[in-house]
Amino acid sequence: MLTVNQMQKTIGSDPKKVLDGWNVHIHEGDMIGVVGPSGSGKSTLLRCLALRDSWTNGNFTLGGDVIIDGGGKGKRKFRSQFAYLEQNPELYPQKSALKNVLIGQAGQTDQFRRMIGMVRSDDYMGAMDELEKFGLLDKAHVKAAHLSGGEKQRVAICRALVHGANFIAVDEPVIGLDKFSAEKVLSTLRDLCKEQKKTVIAVLPLEYAEKYCTRLWGIYEGRLQWDVSGRRLTAEEKQFL
Ligand code: ADP
Ligand code: MG
């Protein structure tokens, strides 16, 4: 279980808090849909929870391990367990989708082995399995430069999974996708939570969040307005969206 205690985030010298008053528990297998108006702090929330942005204050624990104590970006050794997938993430443009999944992100341990091309066959199979689940089998050998933003994001999800991420924060994964592709991506993420006890937190339009997520967070001006599990939203809860 992840525990967020008094998480706060300010950006630059602006004293206004982008995130404030966050106290939540996140469980293995949770699929959390984040909804809220533009500028409410959704992307910042995902980056903070995925250890990509530093916290201004607060504590973050994973089981008995302290990841963040009083602010900061978290201890490096935890970082590979957390993934933040933005729309249009950076990939190696001249390498195929498959190579990008196998190589992983710059700066990760094991990078040398992968750079020199020493890929184990089980790595290869695992990478192809993930690409297939996300509907990208026909893109495996296409250069990343030729993929759409959404396809790149899914390649990056596969990459994170292959390299051991348990906590997947994904920002607006269905923007620009047709309904069929959107449902495929979301049902794949849902299966990861159900079957492998991964934790997914995704910024989604409300109709998809209600259909696929086990839990919904409403965010307004950087604060958690409600945290709802196992039901749809009431008219009152929908008010500020
Ligand atoms: P959302 O994803 O809900 O649209 P964001 O997390 O992107 O919201 O932004 C939340 C608030 O933080 C906004 O007011 C935005 O202007 C501000 N913000 C985000 N990133 C930066 C930054 N790098 N510098 C200054 N302000 C930022
Ligand atoms: Mg955003």
Side-chain angles (χ1 to χ4, degrees), residues 130-136 154 157-158 161 188-189 192:
E130 296 299 344
L131 288 168
E132 197 251 317
K133 278 189 226 157
F134 282 91
L136 291 167
R154 280 180 280 151
I157 296 174
C158 296
L161 289 168
T188 305
L189 290 172
L192 287 172

Side-chain angles (χ1 to χ4, degrees), residues 9 11-12 14 16-19 34 36-47 53 84 171-172 203 219 222:
K9 171 76 177 169
I11 293 180
D14 188 351
K16 193 176 126 303
K17 295 187 179 77
V18 177
L19 300 174
V34 178
S38 175
S40 57
K42 302 180 297 296
S43 297
T44 309
L45 173 71
L46 264 57
R47 284 198 303 269
D53 271 3
Y84 170 70
D171 209 348
E172 309 200 356
V203 176
I219 171 170

Side-chain angles (χ1 to χ4, degrees), residues 154-166:
R154 280 180 280 151
V155 169
I157 296 174
C158 296
R159 179 179 68 184
L161 289 168
V162 164
H163 298 286
N166 291 315

Side-chain angles (χ1 to χ4, degrees), residues 7-237:
M7 179 177 64
Q8 272 184 15
K9 171 76 177 169
T10 54
I11 293 180
S13 56
D14 188 351
K16 193 176 126 303
K17 295 187 179 77
V18 177
L19 300 174
D20 196 20
W22 284 78
N23 292 296
V24 281
H25 296 293
I26 300 168
H27 304 274
E28 287 172 3
D30 274 355
M31 178 151 171
I32 303 172
V34 178
V35 294
S38 175
S40 57
K42 302 180 297 296
S43 297
T44 309
L45 173 71
L46 264 57
R47 284 198 303 269
C48 282
L49 292 178
L51 312 181
R52 294 308 186 273
D53 271 3
S54 72
W55 298 21
T56 307
N57 214 337
N59 302 309
F60 195 26
T61 57
L62 172 61
D65 292 324
V66 176
I67 303 176
I68 292 177
D69 183 8
K73 211 169 175 180
K75 295 181 187 149
R76 190 169 288 275
K77 68 170 180 176
F78 293 104
R79 220 158 284 164
S80 66
Q81 287 187 55
F82 291 80
Y84 170 70
L85 297 318
E86 60 193 321
Q87 270 272 337
N88 235 326
E90 227 176 278
L91 300 176
Y92 295 103
Q94 294 308 316
K95 294 193 192 293
S96 69
L98 175 63
K99 260 276 154 68
N100 270 282
V101 172
L102 287 168
I103 291 172
Q105 269 172 297
Q108 284 185 333
T109 53
D110 237 19
Q111 202 200 356
F112 178 71
R113 180 175 64 85
R114 286 186 232 108
M115 264 182 45
I116 59 175
M118 280 177 58
V119 172
R120 290 189 304 249
S121 63
D122 54 331
D123 289 347
Y124 174 86
M125 300 297 273
M128 290 301 274
D129 281 351
E130 296 299 344
L131 288 168
E132 197 251 317
K133 278 189 226 157
F134 282 91
L136 291 167
L137 207 49
D138 58 336
K139 307 285 180 186
H141 300 289
V142 173
K143 279 184 186 173
H146 300 154
L147 300 175
S148 72
E151 287 164 350
K152 282 187 205 161
Q153 191 182 35
R154 280 180 280 151
V155 169
I157 296 174
C158 296
R159 179 179 68 184
L161 289 168
V162 164
H163 298 286
N166 291 315
F167 179 90
I168 319 276
V170 50
D171 209 348
E172 309 200 356
V174 304
I175 297 290
L177 297 191
D178 60 79
K179 195 162 185 301
F180 178 82
S181 308
E183 306 248 342
K184 165 121 184 125
V185 170
L186 291 175
S187 59
T188 305
L189 290 172
R190 186 177 60 190
D191 291 347
L192 287 172
C193 295
K194 265 195 195 161
E195 291 160 16
Q196 298 180 38
K197 292 288 169 212
K198 303 278 183 191
T199 303
V200 168
I201 170 165
V203 176
L204 292 172
L206 181 60
E207 64 271 26
Y208 284 114
E210 281 189 323
K211 182 165 177 192
Y212 284 95
C213 294
T214 56
R215 188 170 171 190
L216 301 174
W217 286 354
I219 171 170
Y220 186 72
E221 294 188 346
R223 288 177 170 273
L224 181 63
Q225 294 295 310
W226 34 254
D227 178 0
V228 164
S229 295
R231 64 166 172 81
R232 286 168 180 272
L233 299 182
T234 63
E236 197 188 339
E237 285 160 346

